[in-house]
Amino acid sequence: MVEPVASAPPSPPVAAPRSRVGKTLSIVAPCYNEQEVLDLFFDRIDAEMARLGVAYEVVCVNDGSRDHTLAVLLRRHQRDPRIKVINLARNFGKETALSAGLDAATGDMIVPIDCDLQDPPELIGQFLEAWEAGADVAYGVRVDRTSDGFLKRATAQGFYRAFNKLSDVDLPYNAGDYRLMDRRVVEVLKQLPERNRFMKGLFAWVGFNQVAVPYVRPERAAGTTSFRYWKLWNFALDGITSFSSVPIRIWSYVGLIAGVLACGVAGMIVVRTLLFGRDVPGYPSLMVVILMSFGLQMLAIGSLGEYVARIYQEVKNRPLYVVMDRYGFDA
């Protein structure tokens, strides 16, 4: 007897191909103390855009830089009106500066990029090819992290694993903000109002047809990074608490387990007292239990406080950022 053969699952629909002809590409570059690398960044962008033959604009967001970043940006804007500048009133952070740039970008395709050239502009061509093939988002994935130290590699992998375990959003491993997005994807992102913005998570949350483009990330072309380990830790904490309630929910289970254990220990004490007479508890064991319970309570309160603080930030309903000056935009 011939067994029936199960049919293969239907293939996902293939998106219609697109063309870059007549389209505009917006490059969004948050800038914070990047005076040493900006000229090289713009030269690399100019060369790559000339090779690709696509109309483009560069939206630079000066995020409260303390050096001459704004002066360099304005000099390049005067030389090339395709370079547009948003000057924020203070330092709001990279995620907020990136959001300001996405709000101001007018292109049919938008590419967030770091101006330190660790996101090589030469990858934009592969992004464009994926977009023309039907992808709504083409994101860069690092295939080699040997340029990072052991600690940074280990903590980065640990973060991605923890995020994907705790969150309903699947965050691609070793993927940053560097990507090309179709205009309709950016329009959805602009509707997300939260103040504590974890852009990698938001990029993954919106969905659409996303494809990965592998690349090797080079060293910084110049200058020094402003992301130290403490800042990265807070950044990771923001990401997890923005997309998961597990850290606060887990304390309900901790409390339940502690209650069951307490009832079990109490029952043992009652039985032992009935069988062997009066039971005198020891001081060391009592102190261990008290201190352990206190530590667990503090962890639970701290976890709760992280979410309460984020609720506090949201309910104030302040603007996400404040623009002091705009250069190169229509009135």
Side-chain angles (χ1 to χ4, degrees):
M1 180 179 178
V2 179
E3 296 182 358
V5 179
S7 59
S11 300
V14 179
R18 306 183 179 99
S19 173
R20 73 185 72 177
V21 178
K23 303 295 185 180
T24 302
L25 175 69
S26 293
I27 297 174
V28 177
C31 304
Y32 179 68
N33 295 343
E34 301 287 0
Q35 64 176 13
E36 299 178 16
V37 75
L38 283 175
D39 286 326
L40 181 58
F41 167 74
F42 288 123
D43 292 342
R44 292 267 296 273
I45 290 292
D46 290 343
E48 181 63 14
M49 293 300 103
R51 185 183 71 83
L52 296 176
V54 61
Y56 73 98
E57 66 174 2
V58 183
V59 179
C60 299
V61 183
N62 179 43
D63 187 26
S65 298
R66 298 179 181 179
D67 59 1
H68 299 291
T69 294
L70 180 60
V72 176
L73 291 175
L74 294 181
R75 186 181 73 241
R76 298 295 301 219
H77 163 67
Q78 292 173 355
R79 291 170 50 183
D80 187 351
R82 292 175 298 187
I83 298 175
K84 303 176 181 181
V85 181
I86 298 175
N87 185 32
L88 299 184
R90 63 170 177 84
N91 178 252
F92 286 89
K94 180 186 175 183
E95 307 296 283
T96 302
L98 178 55
S99 298
L102 294 178
D103 289 343
T106 60
D108 302 286
M109 305 153 287
I110 295 89
V111 176
I113 188 172
D114 289 343
C115 55
D116 58 10
L117 294 177
Q118 287 191 289
D119 296 337
E122 292 75 17
L123 198 65
I124 296 177
Q126 297 183 47
F127 288 164
L128 266 176
E129 292 173 0
W131 178 82
E132 288 182 318
D136 295 308
V137 179
Y139 59 89
V141 174
R142 298 178 63 180
V143 295
D144 184 6
R145 299 195 67 133
T146 55
S147 59
D148 295 336
F150 172 78
L151 179 59
K152 189 171 183 179
R153 291 199 305 270
T155 53
Q157 292 300 316
F159 166 74
Y160 283 108
R161 290 193 184 97
F163 185 94
N164 288 335
K165 288 287 186 181
L166 299 176
S167 172
D168 295 332
V169 177
D170 188 14
L171 193 66
Y173 278 73
N174 296 325
D177 296 332
Y178 191 30
R179 63 192 61 218
L180 182 146
M181 297 176 288
D182 187 76
R183 162 54 58 181
R184 61 176 180 165
V185 178
V186 175
E187 289 300 322
V188 174
L189 287 169
K190 290 166 63 176
Q191 298 176 31
L192 305 180
E194 55 256 46
R195 269 69 181 165
N196 293 286
R197 304 182 72 80
F198 180 64
M199 297 306 295
K200 295 181 183 65
L202 296 180
F203 291 150
W205 182 88
V206 296
F208 291 94
N209 180 22
Q210 304 198 16
V211 298
V213 178
Y215 78 106
V216 177
R217 196 177 198 193
E219 298 286 345
R220 284 181 62 96
T224 58
T225 180
S226 60
F227 272 85
R228 305 300 181 185
Y229 280 108
W230 179 248
K231 195 171 183 178
L232 288 172
W233 164 258
N234 290 324
F235 182 60
L237 188 62
D238 284 339
I240 291 176
T241 53
S242 295
F243 285 88
S244 175
S245 61
V246 173
I248 193 170
R249 187 185 308 159
I250 195 172
W251 291 105
S252 299
Y253 299 101
V254 172
L256 177 63
I257 294 172
V260 172
L261 290 176
C263 291
V265 172
M268 290 174 56
I269 293 175
V270 170
V271 172
R272 188 169 61 181
T273 302
L274 293 175
L275 294 178
F276 303 105
R278 184 179 179 183
D279 181 65
V280 179
Y283 177 78
S285 60
L286 181 62
M287 289 303 299
V288 168
V289 172
I290 291 176
L291 292 176
M292 182 178 295
S293 300
F294 178 76
L296 289 176
Q297 289 175 3
M298 291 299 100
L299 286 173
I301 293 173
S303 178
L304 178 63
E306 289 290 337
Y307 287 91
V308 172
R310 281 153 179 76
I311 296 172
Y312 174 64
Q313 294 293 334
E314 296 293 335
V315 298
K316 287 188 291 188
N317 201 28
R318 292 175 180 170
L320 185 60
Y321 53 85
V322 179
V323 176
M324 187 161 59
D325 304 295
R326 294 162 57 96
Y327 304 91
F329 296 91
D330 295 334

